[in-house]
Amino acid sequence: MAETGRIRVAKDKAELVKALTSAEGRTGPFQTFADVIVFAATLGVKRKKRVALGEISKREPAPIRVEHFVSMGHDWVIKLLGVTATQDIKVISPFEQEFETQRNSVFEEYANGGLEILQNELRGAVDYTERILLLLSYERDHREEQKEEFDLSKFLS
């Protein structure tokens, strides 16, 4: 069950989350743990990968307060994923603790799925930034290929 007011990270992904940040002398592509989690959640959604957390990391990174996501403007991602997954607009209600728990859980599971994808994609990489840029380039190019493949307008005169 999701912890109210906090976004949790699976213990088996904690080292990856730390490695992806540039804090404390690390050279990762993201500034904060929250940035990593938002990126991972959106990657999880893109690839339709939603994975339950299992054991939770208690330290580095400890569960991140939702207020941190709000202050960075990332709270809309949490709400949007909640609405999309549940197909219920009520899930964005700020007054019901049950809905907050539900949308945080959805966000955590997509983030965990995205982190799982990143673990596989970054395996053996020396420079995570470069590998993530390659991943994003591939996603962009793949999307353009799909659009072009189904674009029948070029057959119209």
Side-chain angles (χ1 to χ4, degrees):
M1 180 63 93
E3 183 178 334
T4 303
R6 295 184 183 273
I7 302 299
R8 304 164 306 156
V9 176
K11 189 174 184 176
D12 64 332
K13 312 291 186 323
E15 285 303 316
L16 175 62
V17 172
K18 287 192 305 190
L20 288 170
T21 61
S22 58
E24 299 176 14
R26 293 184 293 265
T27 59
F30 300 98
Q31 291 183 349
T32 67
F33 295 142
D35 292 332
V36 174
I37 302 304
V38 169
F39 180 79
T42 57
L43 180 61
V45 170
K46 169 76 173 133
R47 299 263 185 101
K48 296 175 176 60
K49 186 155 182 114
R50 186 173 168 186
V51 179
L53 267 63
E55 191 174 354
I56 306 301
S57 175
K58 301 294 183 201
R59 303 177 189 232
E60 277 299 300
I64 306 164
R65 296 185 61 78
V66 172
E67 288 82 10
H68 189 68
F69 291 89
V70 172
S71 71
M72 297 172 67
H74 297 318
D75 58 317
W76 65 270
V77 176
I78 298 170
K79 292 174 182 174
L80 185 60
L81 292 181
V83 170
T84 303
T86 64
Q87 296 293 303
D88 184 4
I89 194 72
K90 293 178 191 170
V91 79
I92 63 173
S93 171
F95 306 111
E96 298 290 330
Q97 184 175 345
E98 170 191 339
F99 291 133
E100 180 182 8
T101 301
Q102 189 176 11
R103 68 178 175 259
N104 289 354
S105 180
V106 167
F107 179 72
E108 290 169 344
E109 290 174 3
Y110 276 119
N112 196 39
L115 288 169
E116 200 170 278
I117 293 166
L118 287 172
Q119 270 183 331
N120 292 329
E121 295 284 342
L122 300 175
R123 187 166 305 173
V126 176
D127 183 358
Y128 287 163
T129 303
E130 183 179 332
R131 186 68 65 94
I132 288 175
L133 285 172
L134 288 171
L135 173 70
L136 292 172
S137 275
Y138 172 77
E139 291 290 337
R140 182 193 65 219
D141 293 344
H142 186 65
R143 183 189 73 219
E144 288 173 1
E145 286 174 14
Q146 284 180 339
K147 279 185 180 177
E148 195 172 307
E149 185 177 331
F150 294 105
D151 185 10
L152 298 176
S153 64
K154 62 185 172 186
F155 297 111
L156 300 174
S157 338

